[in-house]
Amino acid sequence: MDVIKMARELGKAIQADERYKNILVAIEKNEADTELKPLVDRVQAIQTKYQAGIDAGKTQEDLDPLDKEFQEVYAKIMQNENMKNYESAQKEMDSMMKNIVQILTLCANGADPNTCDPSKIPQK
């Protein structure tokens, strides 16, 4: 039994899953959204200016206007319907991947692959 080959098969199964397909569609819609792209670009520009301000030794008071602008633009991004759909799809994908990793971890620690239950792992 080739474990690497089986991991590749798992990768194919993940890519065939609806959750994976949904995240790809959501990414595509975000990239095509002419209202969203300028907002994302603006947030990135604000982050760059903010980091440059930190590197230049500016005080938090000096950086507050950038922080306020960031919060405003970020709120607009998160109100965008395509971004909401992306966030939802990403949560579903993250949940699936978390379960897969937990099952693999349980199995690597000796649990029965047919019955181990990641939902019974204590959450930190």
Side-chain angles (χ1 to χ4, degrees):
M1 192 170 10
D2 182 353
V3 176
I4 300 300
K5 182 178 178 183
M6 292 174 76
R8 293 183 191 284
E9 291 302 316
L10 176 58
K12 290 177 189 175
I14 289 168
Q15 290 178 347
D17 189 273
E18 283 303 308
R19 290 164 285 198
Y20 177 81
K21 292 175 184 177
N22 290 343
I23 195 77
L24 292 181
V25 168
I27 290 168
E28 194 174 286
K29 286 184 178 182
N30 276 358
E31 289 174 352
D33 188 326
T34 57
E35 292 178 19
L36 184 60
K37 175 104 174 74
L39 293 171
V40 170
D41 291 345
R42 184 68 192 135
V43 160
Q44 291 171 341
I46 294 167
Q47 288 174 318
T48 300
K49 283 175 87 172
Y50 192 92
Q51 186 59 51
I54 290 172
D55 293 344
K58 293 198 175 200
T59 66
Q60 185 58 49
E61 187 176 316
D62 294 331
L63 297 172
D64 280 346
L66 286 174
D67 189 42
K68 183 176 188 276
E69 183 181 3
F70 175 89
Q71 296 301 326
E72 290 169 358
V73 176
Y74 184 78
K76 288 180 185 175
I77 289 171
M78 298 314 293
Q79 292 169 358
N80 178 286
E81 204 58 41
N82 285 324
M83 183 55 77
K84 287 179 186 178
N85 292 337
Y86 169 80
E87 287 290 313
S88 177
Q90 185 64 56
K91 284 180 185 174
E92 289 292 320
M93 186 69 181
D94 289 347
S95 178
M96 177 182 70
M97 293 305 298
K98 180 180 176 184
N99 280 331
I100 290 169
V101 170
Q102 288 174 331
I103 290 169
L104 292 174
T105 300
L106 287 167
C107 293
N109 288 319
D112 182 342
N114 293 314
T115 61
C116 64
D117 185 354
S119 69
K120 297 197 175 160
I121 297 174
Q123 300 299 312
K124 295 180 182 179

